Amino acid sequence: MNRPATPPLAEPSGWHDVRLTVNGTEVAAQVESRLLLGDLLRDRLGLTGTHLGCEHGVCGACTVLVDGEPVRACLTLAVQCDGADLRTVESLAPGDAPLTGVQRAFHECHGMQCGFCTPGFVMTATALTERADRPSDAEVADALSGHLCRCTGYRNIRRAVRQALDERFGE
Amino acid sequence: MKPAPFDYAAPRSIGEAVALLADPDRDAKVLAGGQSLIPMLGMRLARPELLVDVTRVPGLDRLHVDGAGALHVGASVRQARVAADPDVRAGWPLLADAIGLIGHPPIRHRGTLCGSLVHHDPAAELPAAALALDARLVVEGPRGRRTVPAAEFFVATFQTAVEPDELLVEAVFDRTPPRGAAFAELARRHGDFATVGAAVLLERAADGTVRSARVVFCGAGSTPVRLPAAEDALTGTDAGEAALAAAAAAVHAHLEPGDDVHASAEYRREAAAHLLVRACTEAWERA
Ligand SMILES: Cc1cc2nc3c(=O)[nH]c(=O)nc-3n(C[C@H](O)[C@H](O)[C@H](O)COP(=O)(O)OP(=O)(O)OC[C@H]3O[C@@H](n4cnc5c(N)ncnc54)[C@H](O)[C@@H]3O)c2cc1C
Ligand code: FES
Ligand code: FES
């Protein structure tokens, strides 16, 4: 990537070289200190699957996996991710690969609805299925309550997550 | 919701971090998990010139129990890690319970225990837990290192004993006799900050009475509020109905919460009395 021209700023602002792995690919970028991870992904890397809703940590739409853990991309600076392993919704079923269990469950249970908040839910559900032991019902409820879906409610989303967990851990 | 420009530094030692914070030419702020600071930058409620990221300083990620049995939580130790730690769950379950009430998993994965203490939102759970557990806060700055007891640490809303040029290096929780712990809170929505919350620790004597009690509220003032009158009402009793009623009466007589858009003072007091009874009942079962 070429060094972007420093925009005229009222105050000094540093640029930093960061290296991170995004969906399995090594990325080297020069980022301004204040660049948020969500904006790095969407605007700089063209990965627009990660959606931004509230931009202050409440809605969960921007949730991505950083070193395997769900994290708010709107409350993380790109520069903080130097050396990190990042996964966005684009990492699931790339190209012609078959859908993951979580994606299939969202499809079959119609857990996606209008789709705006869905990438966040899918990444949270992906993290739940990657745990060593099956998460408890309370942990699933806690994880899903960190996402605001304004479509029709959570019934189908909960069914989808349950189906994905059943498939992964056995019923 | 985009922050104003600032510079970013990731020092590799405590000394380097403190030197950056103490630089008279730049208004610097510590960045830990960013889960409170980044929203404040986005809303332009804070406009520092430099963020000093303390999460890459070797050693600050230490979570351990020392030879004397005290728990040390370094500045970059994330809340989720504290709550999942077997030593914490066995010896300081109040911390795990308090963290379970913070936001949602992604917030707790990034947010640090120390960051929550320094940020000091009066509705936050961890400052109340730290006061209930008599935490010792180790602070380092250009004038050296000092240890501040929790009772002196929380000064006012969003204000603590940590000066702008200082770093909270670690929080230390001494080993205490086995006690039952519980944290009960009222929030408008699961995961929100508490409208009001109660942290309770109860120690059981050999004869089955309450040997000692600790009662601290969050969301009931500009700092966590300890209520000795409620502790006295519980100590020496069987933690039965009469004792719980006396403790609740002490809340009505002595707790002076404020009014805001979420709740009136009277509503908060009433809720606090109920939450205290609930937390006491739970803590006593675990004692
Ligand atoms: C959607 C959402 C919901 C939330 N819900 C809750 C909740 O229910 N209860 C609750 O308690 N909190 C809640 N939080 C806040 C969360 O717990 C934060 O993680 C915490 O308040 C701050 O910790 P941090 O590590 O992210 O600190 P940062 O955001 O990095 O820093 C916060 C402040 O503390 C200072 N600071 C941080 N660490 C240090 C240090 N070691 N030394 C000196 N100064 C330091 C910073 O300069 C800054 O001023 C919520 C946050 C969000 C976004
Ligand atoms: S956009 Fe990040 S939580 Fe809403
Ligand atoms: S699917 Fe429409 S907002 Fe959730």
Side-chain angles (χ1 to χ4, degrees), chain B residues 233-271:
Chain B
L234 291 160
T235 307
T237 71
D238 61 355
E241 234 169 87
L244 295 179
V251 172
H252 282 286
H254 298 284
L255 194 69
E256 290 172 357
D259 286 294
D260 65 16
V261 291
H262 303 305
S264 67
E266 193 43 47
Y267 178 86
R268 273 204 167 79
R269 197 159 25 237
E270 182 68 30

Side-chain angles (χ1 to χ4, degrees), chain A residues 51-63 72-75:
Chain A
H51 293 167
L52 293 171
C54 66
E55 294 196 69
H56 65 279
V58 176
C59 75
C62 67
T63 304
R72 300 291 203 231
C74 71
L75 293 190

Side-chain angles (χ1 to χ4, degrees), chain A residues 2 9 21 37 48 69 73 119 121 127 131 134-135 156 159 164-165:
Chain A
N2 291 327
L9 293 167
T21 307
L37 176 59
T48 53
E69 302 284 13
F121 272 108
R131 295 186 17 174
R134 184 179 178 128
N156 291 348
R159 277 181 48 217
L165 291 174

Side-chain angles (χ1 to χ4, degrees), chain A residues 9-16 32-36 39 52 54-58 63 66 69-72 74-77 79-84 124 139 141-143 145-148, chain B residues 1-9 12 26 31-36 38-39 41-44 47-49 51 53 55-56 78 100 102-110 189-192:
Chain A
L9 293 167
E11 294 167 55
S13 172
W15 288 88
H16 305 271
E32 197 190 352
S33 306
R34 60 170 165 166
L35 184 72
L36 294 162
D39 298 326
L52 293 171
C54 66
E55 294 196 69
H56 65 279
V58 176
T63 304
V66 177
E69 302 284 13
V71 158
R72 300 291 203 231
C74 71
L75 293 190
T76 307
L77 300 172
V79 63
Q80 288 176 288
C81 296
D82 191 23
T124 284
E139 285 171 317
D142 185 30
S145 73
H147 295 267
L148 298 184
Chain B
M1 296 291 292
K2 306 300 178 198
F6 53 80
D7 205 348
Y8 167 94
R12 301 295 161 139
R26 285 206 288 189
L31 172 68
Q35 300 301 290
S36 292
I38 294 177
L41 297 173
M43 289 181 255
R44 312 263 171 133
R47 285 187 77 144
E49 289 165 285
L51 291 192
D53 183 346
T55 62
R56 292 176 193 259
R78 292 171 171 159
I102 296 176
H104 307 287
I107 310 296
R108 309 195 290 259
H109 279 307
R110 299 286 303 183
R189 195 171 67 95
H190 174 82
D192 269 3

